Amino acid sequence: ILMPVCSASVLYLLLLLLCGLLGGWVLSICPAACSCSGGHRVVDCSSRGLTKLPPGLQHNIRFLNLSFNSLHGVDNQLSHYAHLRTLDLSYNRLESLPPALPRSLWDIRAAGNHLRSLDKNDTAYHWNLKVLDLSDNELERVVFINNTLLSLQSLNLSHNRFWTVPTNMPHNLEIIDLSHNYLLQILPGSLDRLPRLAQFYLHANRFTWLSEGIFDDLIGLEIITLGDNPWACEEEEHITKLLRWSEKTRATVLGCPCYTRPICGQSHLPVTGRERHSARFTEPPLWVNNRSEGQDVQLPPRTVENTPNYQAKSPLVDSGMYQGKAGMNESGDHIWTSSTSMDSFSSHTSTTEHPRSLTNKPKLTRLYNEGCKLDIKTQQTVILSVIVMTTALTTI
């Protein structure tokens, strides 16, 4: 009877210690208006009619979906979520990109809002950003600073109000979607420093002709779309040069100028490892791609059918965030293991205690002490677990 009592008292004290050290984490819950997974680090608050950021978000969330709500702005409320990787603010009522977004972000999606411009300070410090989707807004102007957004690979500015191709775009871009705008021209020098650009979508604009050699510096170009533009086919002086380039380029041209052919270019085969746009030039939402990659996270699909987007591998797949791997369980929580030897927690007997005092103690007391000594391994296990959990959570 005494051995369980001793163990219970030790466990109770250790539980109190754990609660005291980890109170902030233990009390963390999923916001009532949202659904969570992955240890409450993957939060879906889409289509909830929200007008402000829901309370109760954990400080260490990595995925936050706030799409299809009625948010007018979130001010600086997201700045302290230093572990956030993906933020979806699509289809709200934002008139500008929220200030002071976490610099940890890899993926920002703000399609379907009322953004009119993108200031240089909106993206100046997002060194880790890989995907930026600002499609289906009212953008007429974007300003980028030199040597910023060095990690940006995919930029979606489709379905906006641009008249010219933006200048000074980030140099490491691989995908640019400027389809469904009002583009009339590409200014000289706009495409000079985009050596990694592989997919360039310019269909459904108002181009009538383009300057000779405008695409010559795009040495990595693999796919370009030029269809659904009002090309001035009668002006042979200008259009002939563009037609000649479209036939000789190594890239695949979808929608040849003047409707000469559906596909031009020397390479008419799909590029290995990359998917082409469909006839409507759209792709499923981010989380649909994740499910197709064999991920376990289940998030609801968007309800809007025509969500302009581009073919880009999700950074969440690269991050391994949803991938089942050693050290993580099915819910995405880390499983902490330790190689610390149990011998490091050795029991110490008092050196000042007189040996004869043990023999003079009552039998009941002697049995109690023996019971506690026999349960030392259990105590050691609990103590080690508390130390490992405390260390792990404080480093998150």
Side-chain angles (χ1 to χ4, degrees):
I1 298 174
L2 296 174
M3 291 173 58
V5 173
C6 178
S7 301
S9 61
V10 172
L11 291 173
Y12 180 75
L13 291 175
L14 291 176
L15 182 60
L16 290 177
L17 174 63
L18 182 63
C19 291
L21 292 174
L22 309 178
W25 293 288
V26 173
L27 296 178
S28 296
I29 58 174
C30 182
C34 309
S35 60
C36 302
S37 59
H40 293 175
R41 301 184 73 181
V42 178
V43 185
D44 179 21
C45 304
S46 61
S47 303
R48 302 306 204 276
L50 299 177
T51 58
K52 60 182 180 179
L53 197 67
L57 292 171
Q58 288 189 176
H59 75 285
N60 60 348
I61 57 174
R62 297 190 66 176
F63 182 106
L64 180 58
N65 181 6
L66 294 169
S67 62
F68 298 101
N69 283 293
S70 300
L71 299 174
H72 289 271
V74 292
D75 299 327
N76 296 322
Q77 299 177 58
L78 293 171
S79 59
H80 64 282
Y81 294 101
H83 299 269
L84 191 60
R85 291 285 186 262
T86 297
L87 174 64
D88 195 339
L89 294 166
S90 301
Y91 298 97
N92 279 280
R93 300 179 182 179
L94 304 177
E95 295 185 357
S96 61
L97 204 63
L101 290 176
R103 299 179 184 179
S104 58
L105 281 167
W106 291 353
D107 189 336
I108 297 177
R109 308 216 170 197
N113 283 281
H114 304 290
L115 307 183
R116 294 184 179 275
S117 65
L118 185 70
D119 189 69
K120 60 184 180 180
N121 294 324
D122 293 334
T123 59
Y125 303 104
H126 288 286
W127 303 291
N128 299 308
L129 193 63
K130 298 180 180 181
V131 176
L132 180 60
D133 183 356
L134 302 177
S135 60
D136 198 12
N137 276 283
E138 302 168 16
L139 290 171
E140 299 177 358
R141 180 179 63 91
V142 294
V143 180
F144 298 109
I145 304 177
N146 277 327
N147 300 319
T148 60
L149 294 174
L150 297 180
S151 300
L152 191 64
Q153 300 173 2
S154 299
L155 176 63
N156 190 354
L157 297 175
S158 64
H159 292 266
N160 277 287
R161 300 179 179 179
F162 292 104
W163 292 87
T164 61
V165 171
T167 59
N168 207 25
M169 287 187 287
H171 301 161
N172 292 322
L173 279 169
E174 298 178 7
I175 302 172
I176 298 176
D177 193 342
L178 281 164
S179 62
H180 297 276
N181 276 282
Y182 306 131
L183 296 177
L184 294 170
Q185 60 179 334
I186 301 177
L187 298 176
S190 300
L191 308 178
D192 286 354
R193 294 184 293 176
L194 295 171
R196 298 186 181 183
L197 185 61
Q199 301 180 29
F200 197 14
Y201 300 102
L202 295 173
H203 59 278
N205 277 286
R206 297 184 179 180
F207 290 117
T208 56
W209 63 279
L210 292 171
S211 302
E212 182 179 5
I214 195 67
F215 300 125
D216 288 352
D217 290 326
L218 301 180
I219 57 177
L221 190 62
E222 297 175 0
I223 295 176
I224 185 171
T225 63
L226 297 175
D228 199 12
N229 280 287
W231 301 108
C233 301
E234 68 281 0
E235 298 182 10
E236 296 184 4
E237 180 182 357
H238 297 297
I239 203 64
T240 301
K241 298 175 182 178
L242 178 61
L243 291 173
R244 185 180 299 117
W245 173 87
S246 66
E247 292 294 340
K248 293 183 178 181
T249 180
R250 291 178 297 177
T252 299
V253 181
L254 302 180
C256 303
C258 298
Y259 304 98
T260 54
R261 283 191 297 171
I263 302 177
C264 298
Q266 293 182 3
S267 175
H268 294 176
L269 299 177
V271 182
T272 304
R274 296 182 184 272
E275 297 178 17
R276 287 185 181 175
H277 278 60
S278 64
R280 296 171 64 186
F281 300 96
T282 61
E283 72 165 357
L286 177 65
W287 34 82
V288 174
N289 286 344
N290 283 336
R291 284 203 294 271
S292 66
E293 292 287 341
Q295 310 302 329
D296 293 329
V297 176
Q298 300 293 327
L299 292 176
R302 294 185 181 180
T303 55
V304 174
E305 295 181 359
N306 295 325
T307 302
N309 220 308
Y310 39 83
Q311 297 292 343
K313 185 178 180 182
S314 169
L316 297 181
V317 177
D318 293 331
S319 70
M321 179 174 168
Y322 299 135
Q323 294 178 1
K325 55 176 67 176
M328 298 185 71
N329 60 17
E330 293 182 356
S331 63
D333 297 321
H334 286 277
I335 301 175
W336 300 100
T337 59
S338 174
S339 59
T340 305
S341 173
M342 291 300 295
D343 297 336
S344 61
F345 292 93
S346 60
S347 59
H348 298 279
T349 57
S350 175
T351 57
T352 60
E353 185 179 13
H354 196 277
R356 188 173 296 180
S357 63
L358 290 175
T359 61
N360 295 332
K361 287 185 177 181
K363 184 177 181 180
L364 183 63
T365 304
R366 183 166 61 253
L367 290 174
Y368 181 87
N369 291 335
E370 290 176 358
C372 288
K373 290 179 181 179
L374 290 175
D375 208 51
I376 284 176
K377 289 188 176 181
T378 301
Q379 299 175 21
Q380 292 174 347
T381 303
V382 176
I383 293 173
L384 179 60
S385 300
V386 172
I387 293 175
V388 172
M389 290 176 62
T390 304
T391 305
L393 287 174
T394 52
T395 57
I396 292 179

